[in-house]
Amino acid sequence: MDKKYMEMALEIAEKGLGHVNPNPLVGAVVVKDGTVVGKGYHGVYGGPHAEVYALDEAGKSAEGADIYVTLEPCSHYGKTPPCAKKIIESGIKRCFVGSIDPNPLVSGKGIEMLKENDIEVHTGVLKEECDNINKAFFKYIKEKIPYLFLKCAITLDGKIASRNGDSKWISNETAREKVQFYRNKFMGIMVGIGTVLNDNPRLTARIENGVNPLRIIVDPHLKVNTELNIISNNYDKKTIIITSENNTGTAKYSELENEFGIKFITLPDYEFSVSDILRELGRAKIDSVLLEGGEKMISKAFSEKLIDGGEIFISDKILGDSSGKSFISGFSTEKISDSIILRNIKYNLYGNNIGVEFELQEV
Amino acid sequence: MDKKYMEMALEIAEKGLGHVNPNPLVGAVVVKDGTVVGKGYHGVYGGPHAEVYALDEAGKSAEGADIYVTLEPCSHYGKTPPCAKKIIESGIKRCFVGSIDPNPLVSGKGIEMLKENDIEVHTGVLKEECDNINKAFFKYIKEKIPYLFLKCAITLDGKIASRNGDSKWISNETAREKVQFYRNKFMGIMVGIGTVLNDNPRLTARIENGVNPLRIIVDPHLKVNTELNIISNNYDKKTIIITSENNTGTAKYSELENEFGIKFITLPDYEFSVSDILRELGRAKIDSVLLEGGEKMISKAFSEKLIDGGEIFISDKILGDSSGKSFISGFSTEKISDSIILRNIKYNLYGNNIGVEFELQEV
């Protein structure tokens, strides 16, 4: 057993980033007598699995070889035939597995099938690293709601906009490039209607070979207008508006639906909890959401303890104005020890800006 | 010429940190035929200069040797005889200089004296590094006011205390150790009376071989009381109160002065500008001040553009409460581009806290 082959499998798994949701990222490497004879990764949602590509590339060399796979091979017929079956038929002798399938209905069954067919199986190889690349997928499979990742750019004094709503630009270009990476990585971006009306963002992934995320707008009173980029530029039909069911069938609703291809998710009343929103997004098979603002949405998500992780970009600027807009408010924290505490912090350097990458919920 | 000897001189210069103000840090190394034969640093205010120690250690070996000195040797009789004279008498052949003396009255005169006595002088060796260790001294010599360095610990949302004034602890232990380093490095610590009444701090340098800084309290209305640590524990007679001249001779003033050994600096009226305060501190031969709070003092110093540099410690906590106390306020910043912008930022990692070290004014 050699960890370097699992590292290789992990590295190629990441090539599927942004293209496979809500499927997991998976990489596989076939090794015969110390030589890599096949490599593969899951590259498109519903397409062939990593093992298929790796075994096809290996061909006859797979006989008596080892396979390293970042996620337990599947044992059931889904969109594709079971990979465990393909491994058995290929003549593989030993199988090294990173993560176990998180779906309780099938977890461990792929490994069982391999063992029953006299394949030597080793589990837990670089398990933590393998689990890490599919945090969102694992949460979605287990809890049926999307992984929620916060992105916001703040001044050193914690503001996301000036008193007039100006926010261009708090963070520098290098930090903003990282945002494009996240927009490609997560299946949807979510913002409140306030942010849309104030900033008129495009919410696209401006990255080479990037996939645009779903644009999820929380707009209970249907305040959007057709001049906004997310409506008028909805060529890819990826804008989703979450609104009150009271708006269904109004002239505006119908115009947006029929003329601009907007999709709707409706909820009762006008005050939506983040928990209700995530449940509906989960039903719509959205496994991961990047929350980009504004203050109200972020504060709600924190107070409902529904943020899984995030990155807060801190710039080199100080607003110094108590009328500026904070990234979070609404808490009545009497003591410092009652603060929200971030964990597993990693600091990412972007020149004169710093990114605080963190986790909150256990996944 | 070899930069490594100047690096060595810089390294030993730092040993004087906290002990020489308002003198500069200076290191000297004597090198003969590739061997270090003498090393010295300025170790105590008014004591012998670095060159003296280095040349004394070298003894007869100084003849025909090189000397590396981080700051131009002095040419005048001050508290000690001129070092340039000592170098000439020792038989040194070449002299390598880092910083030039910042005092316009003597700047360049030491070098001139050496050259007149046929010593080969090379200037500008690691100049930037040599200038950097004496930023505070250089400013003080040129402008006659102390170098002002901000230290504050904030939550990720920019707060220095909760709505109730609680601030223990925003930053972690590692970050707080760095504060002790600063308290030793700068000649005085300055805080507003609000911070003193709220936190009852000791304002001492709790560091091995550390020197307690002067404790400078800005208290226009003389609101201090004798229960406070800075008054009752004033055994080292290092507490200075800046108050209105209207308080002179009151019973409280006399009690503090006579029974507790408090020193006073008085200013007219009750609204002191930071500029007035710094001018008076400069007159009192204080070359460097660590500004530790609170919001009012920090905001004033920023608005008067009198902060030279600082380190802002950002913790892993979020208060989320708009009634929490910000580290800065009072600006009416309409556009992000009108923000205060920090420069020469360096990020210092303290586990799950990050320090943003910065500069503002040119020195």
Side-chain angles (χ1 to χ4, degrees), chain B residues 75 95 109 126 140 206 213 269 303 354:
Chain B
S75 57
C95 178
K109 292 202 176 150
L126 299 186
Y140 174 68
R206 299 183 281 280
D269 304 324
S303 80
I354 192 117

Side-chain angles (χ1 to χ4, degrees), chain A residues 3-251:
Chain A
K3 280 185 183 172
K4 77 173 179 199
Y5 297 118
M6 189 60 89
E7 276 162 13
M8 194 184 287
L10 270 164
E11 206 172 289
I12 57 176
E14 302 255 9
K15 292 189 181 175
L17 206 65
H19 299 271
V20 298
N21 318 60
N23 277 176
L25 294 173
V26 188
V29 171
V30 179
V31 183
K32 178 83 168 276
D33 302 328
T35 305
V36 173
V37 294
K39 294 197 286 188
Y41 66 95
H42 185 42
V44 58
Y45 174 69
H49 290 183
E51 298 93 322
V52 176
Y53 289 110
L55 290 168
D56 282 354
E57 189 183 322
K60 286 228 174 293
S61 308
E63 215 156 304
D66 296 340
I67 189 167
Y68 290 79
V69 56
T70 57
L71 178 65
E72 177 182 2
C74 63
S75 57
H76 57 285
Y77 284 85
K79 288 188 189 294
T80 59
C83 291
K85 190 160 170 274
K86 172 108 185 167
I87 291 173
I88 293 159
E89 287 167 358
S90 70
I92 283 285
K93 205 175 151 196
R94 299 192 300 175
C95 179
F96 297 92
V97 176
S99 304
I100 305 298
D101 195 308
N103 184 342
L105 296 176
V106 296
S107 178
K109 292 204 176 149
I111 288 166
E112 210 174 298
M113 190 190 278
L114 295 175
K115 283 184 176 168
E116 279 166 4
N117 285 273
D118 296 326
I119 291 174
E120 194 181 315
V121 182
H122 298 261
T123 57
V125 184
L126 298 186
K127 182 178 182 306
E128 204 179 316
E129 291 85 340
C130 291
D131 286 355
N132 265 341
I133 60 167
N134 285 311
K135 268 184 215 166
F137 172 73
F138 282 23
K139 169 169 177 169
Y140 173 69
I141 290 297
K142 287 180 193 161
E143 304 182 24
K144 312 283 182 218
I145 62 170
Y147 183 87
L148 189 60
F149 191 90
L150 169 70
K151 166 253 137 179
C152 67
I154 61 174
T155 62
L156 254 161
D157 48 340
K159 308 294 183 186
I160 48 173
S162 76
R163 51 169 66 197
N164 298 338
D166 183 42
S167 63
K168 287 193 173 65
W169 290 105
I170 288 176
S171 55
N172 67 17
E173 255 179 69
T174 322
R176 301 205 304 272
E177 262 169 39
K178 180 68 174 280
V179 175
Q180 298 302 326
F181 163 84
Y182 282 134
R183 287 185 177 177
N184 176 57
K185 177 174 173 170
F186 295 103
M187 204 168 163
I189 313 183
M190 181 160 71
V191 292
I193 181 65
T195 301
V196 171
L197 294 175
N198 191 73
D199 299 351
N200 190 16
R202 284 181 286 165
L203 303 181
T204 51
R206 297 181 283 279
I207 193 175
E208 208 181 328
N209 298 320
V211 175
N212 277 345
L214 296 164
R215 297 175 291 273
I216 304 158
I217 317 300
V218 180
D219 183 11
H221 296 277
L222 208 54
K223 290 185 186 166
V224 284
N225 64 66
T226 56
E227 308 291 306
L228 294 166
N229 282 322
I230 52 137
I231 305 293
S232 60
N233 292 332
N234 187 33
Y235 306 116
D236 56 8
K237 305 273 183 279
K238 285 195 158 184
T239 299
I240 297 173
I241 293 177
I242 304 182
T243 195
S244 168
E245 58 188 20
N246 300 339
N247 297 315
T248 320
T250 60

Side-chain angles (χ1 to χ4, degrees), chain B residues 178-199:
Chain B
K178 180 69 173 280
V179 175
Q180 297 302 327
F181 163 85
Y182 283 133
R183 286 186 177 176
N184 175 56
K185 177 174 174 171
F186 295 104
M187 204 168 161
I189 312 181
M190 183 161 67
V191 293
I193 180 64
T195 301
V196 171
L197 293 175
N198 190 73
D199 298 352

Side-chain angles (χ1 to χ4, degrees), chain B residues 5-19:
Chain B
Y5 297 119
M6 190 59 91
E7 276 162 13
M8 196 183 286
L10 270 164
E11 207 170 290
I12 57 176
E14 302 254 11
K15 291 188 182 178
L17 206 64
H19 300 268

